C-alpha cells in the first residue's frame, strides 16, 4: 500500500477557513462502523396518542391519505428543555454588567421548537417513505414562513441530531428549530463571506461553486432538476455533503413545492447511501438560510449541510480550532455517486 500524500490545507471559499485534509491510510471507512444501536424503547411521549405528555402542539400536519394511523403525521411542540425562551411583551433585553465586567449576561431569548417527524416510534429519517419526508420538509417551510411573518426574530435555523454521537437525546425521530433575535456566528461568517465574494466578483459564491461543479464533476453526488448534492472542496468532516438549489435562491422559506419534493427525495437517497457506506453513523444536518430581513443581502444562497459524525473533536480541534478531515471529498463523492 503506497503512502498517501502529505496533509494538505484546503480553503473554504465562503468562510475563508482552512481545513486540513489528511487522507491517512489508517482511516478507512469500515473503521467508522459502530454496532447497530439498540432501540432504547418502543414507545415514548412523542408517539401518537401520548400528546398530553408533551408541551402543547404549536402546529400539526395531517397525512393526506384517509387511512392514516393518527390525526397527524408531523407535529411541532415547544422544546421542554429550551436553550432559548420567547421574548414577551414584558421582557426587556437587559444586559447585566458593564463593559469591563467579566460577568456580563443577558436573557437567552428565542424560540426553540421540536419537530416530531413521525406519529409512530421511528428513529431514522430513512425509515420514512419519501412522501413522509416531503411532509417533514413542508413542516419545516411552514414553520419558517410563520415565524418570519410574526416578525419577532432575525434568524432561524433547523437542524437534526441523529444518533447519540450527534447529540441526540431522544430517539424518536425529530428535528429542532431555533429562531433568534440576532444572526448567530456561523451564519454571520457565511453571510460576510458571501457579501465579500459578491463585492469582489459580482456574483453569489454558492452559484459560483455550482458553476465549478459543472466543469469538474469529481465531487458531484447527485441531482434533480432543481437541486444539486455534492461534497464541498473543503469538507470539514468525512463524507460531508451539501444540498442546494441550482438556481440562485437566498431564502429556504421561498422554496417551491417542486424544490421541496426534490430536496426530500435527494436527502433521503443520500442518507440511505451514507448508511450503506458507513454503517449506522450518527450525523447532523443543518438548513442555512438568509436572515428574515434581507434588505440588501440577497447574495446568500440557502443550503443543507449533512455532517456525518465519523470522528470526534479531540484536543487538536478544541485547542486550535483547526478541523481535520481524513477522507478526501473526491473519494467520498465517488463512493456515494457509484451507489446510485
Ligand atoms: Zn416515540
Ligand atoms: Zn446563489
Ligand atoms: Zn452553511
Amino acid at each position: 500500500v503506497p503512502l498517501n500524500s502529505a496533509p494538505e490545507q484546503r480553503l473554504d471559499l465562503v468562510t475563508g477557513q482552512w481545513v486540513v485534509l489528511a487522507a491517512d491510510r489508517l482511516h478507512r471507512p469500515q473503521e467508522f462502523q459502530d454496532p447497530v444501536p439498540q432501540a432504547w424503547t418502543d414507545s415514548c411521549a412523542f408517539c401518537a396518542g401520548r400528546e398530553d405528555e408533551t408541551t402543547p402542539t404549536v402546529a400539526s400536519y395531517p397525512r393526506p391519505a384517509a387511512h392514516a394511523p393518527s390525526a397527524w403525521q408531523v407535529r411541532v411542540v415547544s422544546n421542554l428543555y429550551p436553550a432559548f425562551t420567547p421574548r414577551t411583551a414584558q421582557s426587556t433585553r437587559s444586559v447585566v454588567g458593564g463593559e469591563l465586567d467579566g460577568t456580563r449576561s443577558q436573557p437567552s431569548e428565542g424560540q426553540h421548537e421540536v419537530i416530531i417527524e413521525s406519529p409512530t416510534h421511528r428513529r431514522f429519517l430513512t425509515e420514512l417513505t419519501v412522501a413522509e419526508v416531503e411532509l417533514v420538509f413542508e413542516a419545516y417551510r411552514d414553520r419558517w414562513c410563520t415565524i418570519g411573518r410574526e416578525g419577532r426574530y432575525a434568524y432561524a435555523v433547523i437542524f437534526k441530531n441523529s444518533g447519540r454521537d450527534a447529540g441526540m437525546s431522544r430517539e424518536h425521530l425529530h428535528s429542532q428549530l431555533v429562531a433568534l433575535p440576532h444572526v448567530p456566528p456561523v451564519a454571520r461568517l457565511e453571510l460576510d463571506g458571501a457579501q465579500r465574494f459578491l463585492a469582489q466578483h459580482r456574483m453569489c459564491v454558492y452559484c459560483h461553486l455550482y458553476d465549478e461543479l459543472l466543469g469538474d464533476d469529481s465531487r458531484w453526488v447527485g441531482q434533480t432538476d432543481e437541486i444539486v448534492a455534492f461534497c464541498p472542496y473543503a469538507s470539514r468532516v468525512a463524507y460531508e455533503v451539501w444540498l442546494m438549489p441550482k438556481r440562485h435562491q437566498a431564502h429556504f422559506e421561498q422554496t417551491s413545492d417542486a424544490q421541496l419534493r426534490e430536496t426530500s427525495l435527494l436527502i433521503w437517497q443520500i442518507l440511505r447511501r451514507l448508511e450503506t457506506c458507513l454503517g449506522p453513523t450518527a450525523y447532523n444536518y443543518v438548513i442555512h438560510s438568509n436572515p428574515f430581513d434581507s434588505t440588501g443581502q440577497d447574495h446568500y444562497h440557502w443550503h443543507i449541510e449533512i455532517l456525518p459524525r465519523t470522528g470526534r473533536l479531540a484536543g487538536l480541534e478544541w485547542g486550535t480550532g483547526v478541523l481535520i478531515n481524513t477522507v478526501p471529498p473526491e473519494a467520498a463523492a465517488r463512493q456515494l455517486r457509484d451507489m446510485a
Side-chain angles (χ1 to χ4, degrees):
V1 182
L3 274 175
N4 281 307
S5 49
E8 171 193 353
Q9 293 207 357
R10 290 188 169 195
L11 181 71
D12 184 313
L13 198 57
V14 182
T15 62
Q17 292 184 323
W18 292 91
V19 169
V20 175
L21 180 62
D24 193 305
R25 67 195 185 287
L26 295 174
H27 292 84
R28 294 168 193 278
Q30 59 267 28
E31 295 189 351
F32 295 144
Q33 289 188 7
D34 289 327
V36 178
Q38 294 289 308
W40 297 330
T41 174
D42 51 14
S43 164
C44 74
F46 284 178
C47 288
R50 296 176 61 175
E51 289 80 5
D52 55 348
E53 295 175 45
T54 65
T55 54
T57 301
V58 172
S60 94
Y61 305 87
R63 197 187 173 90
H67 57 274
S70 72
W72 56 271
Q73 176 66 24
V74 178
R75 193 165 77 92
V76 180
V77 297
S78 339
N79 196 316
L80 189 57
Y81 306 100
F84 308 93
T85 49
R87 180 187 296 184
T88 60
Q90 296 88 342
S91 66
T92 47
R93 291 190 73 210
S94 51
V95 177
V96 179
E99 268 182 39
L100 282 175
D101 288 339
T103 53
R104 258 161 94 91
S105 80
Q106 65 181 24
S108 186
E109 286 180 345
Q111 196 153 317
H112 195 164
E113 299 180 346
V114 174
I115 299 147
I116 303 169
E117 297 171 340
S118 167
T120 49
H121 197 76
R122 301 252 183 271
R123 294 188 292 158
F124 304 110
L125 199 74
T126 47
E127 292 178 79
L128 300 183
T129 64
V130 175
E132 287 168 343
V133 177
E134 270 177 50
L135 282 174
V136 169
F137 274 79
E138 279 175 28
Y140 291 171
R141 182 179 63 184
D142 183 64
R143 288 311 297 153
W144 215 300
C145 287
T146 303
I147 290 169
R149 265 197 313 272
E150 287 168 358
R152 282 190 293 166
Y153 297 105
Y155 183 81
V157 64
I158 283 177
F159 56 92
K160 177 186 287 299
N161 304 333
S162 184
R164 203 196 293 243
D165 282 352
M168 185 181 77
S169 56
R170 304 188 64 133
E171 67 176 4
H172 190 124
L173 187 59
H174 69 281
S175 296
Q176 297 176 58
L177 181 150
V178 165
L180 298 169
H182 57 268
V183 176
V186 168
R188 190 74 270 160
L189 200 61
E190 290 186 357
L191 284 159
D192 288 351
Q195 177 64 64
R196 196 168 49 239
F197 195 89
L198 180 78
Q200 286 169 356
H201 306 289
R202 305 201 152 275
M203 72 179 299
C204 162
V205 64
Y206 294 94
C207 287
H208 174 65
L209 293 180
Y210 176 58
D211 285 348
E212 281 196 336
L213 284 174
L214 294 176
D216 169 11
D217 59 7
S218 64
R219 286 177 291 101
W220 190 276
V221 173
Q223 64 170 324
T224 60
D225 287 347
E226 299 264 1
I227 310 292
V228 62
F230 62 100
C231 294
Y233 177 70
S235 288
R236 293 158 292 176
V237 296
Y239 296 88
E240 178 170 349
V241 179
W242 290 6
L243 281 79
M244 64 184 194
K246 292 176 179 176
R247 285 179 295 149
H248 183 72
Q249 190 173 42
H251 292 266
F252 170 75
E253 66 269 33
Q254 289 170 2
T255 43
S256 66
D257 289 346
Q259 285 177 314
L260 218 53
R261 228 175 7 251
E262 293 179 18
T263 301
S264 310
L265 173 67
L266 208 49
I267 200 164
W268 183 86
Q269 288 175 338
I270 287 165
L271 292 173
R272 289 282 279 230
R273 291 184 214 164
L274 281 169
E275 282 174 1
T276 309
C277 267
L278 303 174
T281 300
Y283 67 86
N284 301 102
Y285 68 62
V286 180
I287 306 178
H288 277 158
S289 179
N290 219 23
F292 289 120
D293 178 7
S294 58
T295 316
Q297 46 184 21
D298 267 336
H299 52 274
Y300 194 63
H301 192 128
W302 76 263
H303 56 274
I304 302 177
E305 302 173 6
I306 305 174
L307 299 153
R309 291 301 174 127
T310 55
R312 286 172 195 278
L313 295 186
L316 183 63
E317 289 84 357
W318 283 111
T320 62
V322 175
L323 294 174
I324 319 258
N325 175 9
T326 53
V327 178
E330 292 78 11
R334 190 188 324 116
Q335 222 179 327
L336 294 171
R337 197 170 57 228
D338 286 351
M339 298 170 103

